[in-house]
């Protein structure tokens, strides 16, 4: 009985569909179906009850699948332990990245990682939408905000100040806001997440929160596009200082209204479970911590933001 066949069996049980399992595993439906038949033949029992429209576990499948899953987890962990001891890094890195951070900062970091570990391969999923680890076939996600699912396991990479920013050309034309009330005279570059337009911005002056509702002629669910609009002088935006770090350091955008700070966030590397923490995940965790600490340190040194590195 092949381990690969058992992995197919578990996916079929998860999706209740041979076709969906095959799609998730990047294989032909006929190949997945053949794997199911081989396992059932080896066991001498059908694991699934099939009808024209549905597939469900048989009583034998209900007894066999949990023990099969546990056995494969033990084997996977044993393999991880050995590879960690030997310092082996290979295989495919399947990582989800947010649009702005992923395209403009993390992708070059991953290029460096692949140069150091040439036996590894990379598959990225770049989107600002929530990630479903199973639906989207990724092993880890680098995301702003701490994990909200108690079943997930994550590493905090760093604290991330958020800033109100604009280009010098825009400020020369429209003036620089000094107080949240001044933003009523400015064009807000708005971010939309999960169909919710984030047009109410919150600032803190060290004591009190100040809420202001923005008006603007541009909105997008792609944070990278909001950044591009800001650099092009189309308005003011609230952005992560990491996302805007290159432009802040070059002077293409500036941190404005600094006495009033937007709510900060955190950057996390999240995995679906503790068992999915591999040597590669730990290496990437350390790489991301090192790279982000360097950037925030530069921003601190130039007086662009005030923050402690994590």
């Amino acid at each position: 009985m092949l381990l690969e066949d058992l992995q197919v069996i578990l996916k079929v049980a998860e999706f209740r569909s041979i076709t969906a399992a095959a799609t998730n595993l990047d294989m032909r439906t006929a190949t997945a179906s053949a794997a199911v038949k081989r396992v059932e033949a080896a066991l001498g029992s059908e694991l699934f009850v099939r009808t024209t429209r549905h597939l469900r576990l048989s009583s034998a499948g209900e007894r066999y699948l949990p023990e099969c899953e546990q056995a494969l987890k033990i084997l996977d962990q044993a393999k991880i332990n050995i590879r960690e001891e030997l310092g082996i890094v290979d295989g495919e890195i399947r990582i989800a990245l947010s649009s702005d951070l992923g395209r403009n900062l993390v992708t070059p970091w991953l290029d460096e990682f692949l140069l150091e570990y040439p036996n590894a391969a990379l598959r990225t999923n770049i989107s600002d939408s929530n990630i479903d680890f199973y639906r989207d076939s990724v092993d880890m996600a680098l995301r702003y905000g701490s994990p909200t699912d108690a079943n997930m396991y994550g590493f905090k990479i760093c604290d991330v100040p958020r800033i109100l920013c604009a280009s010098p050309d825009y400020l020369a034309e429209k003036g620089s806001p000094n107080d949240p009330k001044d933003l009523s005279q400015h064009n807000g570059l708005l971010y939309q997440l999960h169909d919710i337009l984030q047009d109410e911005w919150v600032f803190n002056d060290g004591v009190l929160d100040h809420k202001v509702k923005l008006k603007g002629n541009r909105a997008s669910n792609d944070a990278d596009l909001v950044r591009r609009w800001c650099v092009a002088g189309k308005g003011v935006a609230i952005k992560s200082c990491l996302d805007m770090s290159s432009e802040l350091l070059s002077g293409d955008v500036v941190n404005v209204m600094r006495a009033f700070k937007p709510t900060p966030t955190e950057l996390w590397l999240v995995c679906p479970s503790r068992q999915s923490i591999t040597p590669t995940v730990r290496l990437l965790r350390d790489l991301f911590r090192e790279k982000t600490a360097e950037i925030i340190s530069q921003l601190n040194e130039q007086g662009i933001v005030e923050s402690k590195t994590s």
Side-chain angles (χ1 to χ4, degrees):
M1 196 180 297
L2 300 173
L3 291 179
E4 291 82 1
D5 288 351
L6 297 178
Q7 291 166 347
V8 172
I9 288 289
L10 292 178
K11 283 297 179 184
V12 172
E14 177 186 340
F15 288 101
R16 293 294 194 267
S17 164
I18 293 177
T19 300
T23 300
N24 181 266
L25 294 168
D26 292 330
M27 64 172 57
R28 294 168 55 239
T29 300
T31 304
S33 180
V36 173
K37 291 177 181 177
R38 283 194 295 269
V39 174
E40 290 181 328
L43 294 173
S45 178
E46 288 191 345
L47 298 175
F48 302 100
V49 176
R50 304 164 178 83
T51 67
T52 54
R53 293 187 177 182
H54 301 286
L55 180 149
R56 62 178 175 82
L57 286 174
S58 66
S59 57
E62 290 176 350
R63 293 193 303 272
Y64 180 74
L65 267 295
E67 294 188 22
C68 174
E69 183 177 18
Q70 187 60 35
L72 287 180
K73 285 182 179 179
I74 292 171
L75 290 173
D76 285 342
Q77 190 59 51
K79 181 179 178 181
I80 288 171
N81 293 343
I82 290 295
R83 298 172 77 79
E84 189 166 9
E85 289 177 9
L86 297 175
I88 297 172
V89 177
D90 61 7
E92 190 172 63
I93 301 167
R94 304 188 305 175
I95 184 169
L97 304 168
S98 56
S99 64
D100 200 347
L101 186 74
R103 289 191 184 102
N104 301 304
L105 284 179
V106 181
T107 298
W109 301 345
L110 293 173
D111 288 339
E112 293 179 23
F113 187 86
L114 293 178
L115 286 174
E116 186 172 355
Y117 300 100
N119 292 326
L122 176 66
R123 183 186 297 191
T124 61
N125 179 318
I126 295 186
S127 171
D128 287 330
S129 300
N130 281 345
I131 288 295
D132 182 316
F133 282 100
Y134 301 102
R135 179 198 65 204
D136 300 317
S137 297
V138 297
D139 301 315
M140 66 192 92
L142 189 65
R143 280 287 185 267
Y144 287 117
S146 59
T148 55
D149 189 333
N151 295 320
M152 292 183 184
Y153 190 83
F155 298 104
K156 181 179 173 181
I157 303 301
C158 64
D159 293 309
V160 183
R162 295 166 72 237
I163 59 170
L164 179 70
C165 54
S167 73
D169 288 344
Y170 173 85
L171 296 173
E173 179 182 353
K174 301 293 185 179
S176 183
N178 296 310
D179 184 278
K181 295 178 182 178
D182 297 341
L183 291 176
S184 62
Q185 305 301 315
H186 288 268
N187 190 47
L189 304 174
L190 306 177
Y191 181 58
Q192 181 174 312
L193 185 62
H194 312 315
D195 296 326
I196 299 174
L197 187 64
Q198 298 186 357
D199 58 353
E200 186 175 81
W201 294 356
V202 180
F203 301 88
N204 186 278
D205 61 8
V207 179
L208 298 174
D209 284 341
H210 303 262
K211 294 182 180 181
V212 57
K213 194 173 183 66
L214 268 289
K215 294 181 180 179
N217 64 1
R218 287 173 172 83
S220 177
N221 64 349
D222 187 326
D224 185 36
L225 183 53
V226 175
R227 179 187 63 82
R228 292 169 185 264
W229 285 334
C230 186
V231 174
K234 305 303 182 184
V236 294
I238 288 183
K239 293 288 293 176
S240 148
C241 72
L242 290 176
D243 289 355
M244 300 300 293
S245 57
S246 295
E247 291 77 14
L248 288 166
L249 291 167
S250 67
D252 290 334
V253 299
V254 295
N255 184 0
V256 297
M257 210 172 74
R258 297 180 56 170
F260 299 85
K261 294 179 172 55
T263 305
T265 186
E266 299 172 348
L267 186 64
W268 282 72
L269 181 63
V270 182
C271 295
S273 67
R274 183 181 291 272
Q275 289 73 28
S276 60
I277 305 301
T278 65
T280 300
V281 171
R282 293 189 181 95
L283 286 170
L284 289 173
R285 172 202 63 192
D286 295 343
L287 172 68
F288 296 152
R289 284 176 174 171
E290 175 188 346
K291 293 292 189 180
T292 55
E294 289 175 0
I295 290 173
I296 294 176
S297 177
Q298 286 182 296
L299 294 172
N300 279 327
E301 288 173 3
Q302 295 201 18
I304 296 171
V305 299
E306 298 174 2
S307 172
K308 296 179 180 179
T309 56
S310 296

